[in-house]
Amino acid sequence: NSLDVTEVVVKYRSLFAPYAATYLKDELTFGFTPHDVEHYFRGRELGNDVSVLLNAQAYEKGLATAGSYLAEQYMIGGVTAVVILSLMIGLLLNVLYRMSQCVFSLFFVMMLLPDVLSMPRGDLLDCLSVLLRTCLFVVVLFIGWKLYQVLAWQQQAPRPAQQLSPEQLSGSSG
């Protein structure tokens, strides 16, 4: 459970803190690639590292703890980081609420909502990873739509009338 992960990180912060940047960097890829739990190595994902520390044999059998965004916050900068980042998450929730008022931005809210709801048992940057993936998806759709519009316009664009020279006119009647 994520509370256990937080307790372990608080107690053994010195074991996990050197990997803080790696944990966060890898979390940004989780929206684009599946989690690779088959090939474990230390420093890739905090939840897996805590699981191995608590019981390596159980981890080998497929049992593991969840992540904990609070543990990651504490690992980054102690209680100060927990307070500051929790306030930032509160601001993010307020922004998501305001975004849900508009139909276009509601799409982004709906894409982020599952990760926001699972955040207590998830990683700190999962939402950002999903947001990046969603933005990339929207950019590709937008480019495709613009390309479609250009091709459709070219197909329906008026063609200039063909100008025939007097020789062509006289040659076609004779």
Side-chain angles (χ1 to χ4, degrees):
N1 117 20
S2 59
L3 186 57
D4 295 336
V5 173
T6 305
E7 290 174 14
V8 170
V9 170
V10 167
K11 184 170 183 174
Y12 300 106
R13 182 177 174 195
S14 61
L15 290 175
F16 302 108
Y19 302 105
T22 307
Y23 292 142
L24 296 176
K25 177 188 69 74
D26 285 346
E27 286 174 21
L28 289 176
T29 67
F30 290 164
F32 299 94
T33 59
H35 293 262
D36 180 17
V37 294
E38 188 175 332
H39 302 99
Y40 168 78
F41 63 87
R42 188 172 179 187
R44 183 188 306 171
E45 192 172 355
L46 179 62
N48 291 340
D49 286 351
V50 169
S51 298
V52 169
L53 177 69
L54 291 175
N55 191 341
Q57 291 79 21
Y59 182 80
E60 290 293 322
K61 293 177 182 175
L63 301 173
T65 63
S68 171
Y69 77 102
L70 288 173
E72 288 184 33
Q73 291 174 352
Y74 186 83
M75 178 188 56
I76 292 169
V79 174
T80 305
V82 172
V83 170
I84 291 171
L85 292 171
S86 293
L87 289 172
M88 290 174 66
I89 290 170
L91 289 173
L92 170 71
L93 292 173
N94 189 0
V95 167
L96 288 176
Y97 170 74
R98 292 177 188 274
M99 286 177 64
S100 68
Q101 308 301 316
C102 172
V103 172
F104 177 74
S105 58
L106 182 61
F107 171 76
F108 289 95
V109 173
M110 292 307 298
M111 293 300 289
L112 290 174
L113 194 59
D115 287 288
V116 169
L117 293 176
S118 67
M119 192 177 221
R121 295 184 51 84
D123 299 314
L124 183 61
L125 297 182
D126 276 351
C127 291
L128 184 57
S129 178
V130 171
L131 179 62
L132 292 172
R133 181 186 68 202
T134 303
C135 287
L136 181 64
F137 176 70
V138 169
V139 165
V140 169
L141 282 177
F142 180 77
I143 290 171
W145 178 249
K146 288 300 177 184
L147 182 63
Y148 169 77
Q149 285 180 328
V150 166
L151 293 174
W153 177 81
Q154 283 183 345
Q155 190 175 28
Q156 295 175 356
R159 306 274 187 247
Q162 187 177 11
Q163 298 290 335
L164 298 175
S165 65
E167 295 86 29
Q168 290 174 326
L169 288 173
S170 63
S172 63
S173 62

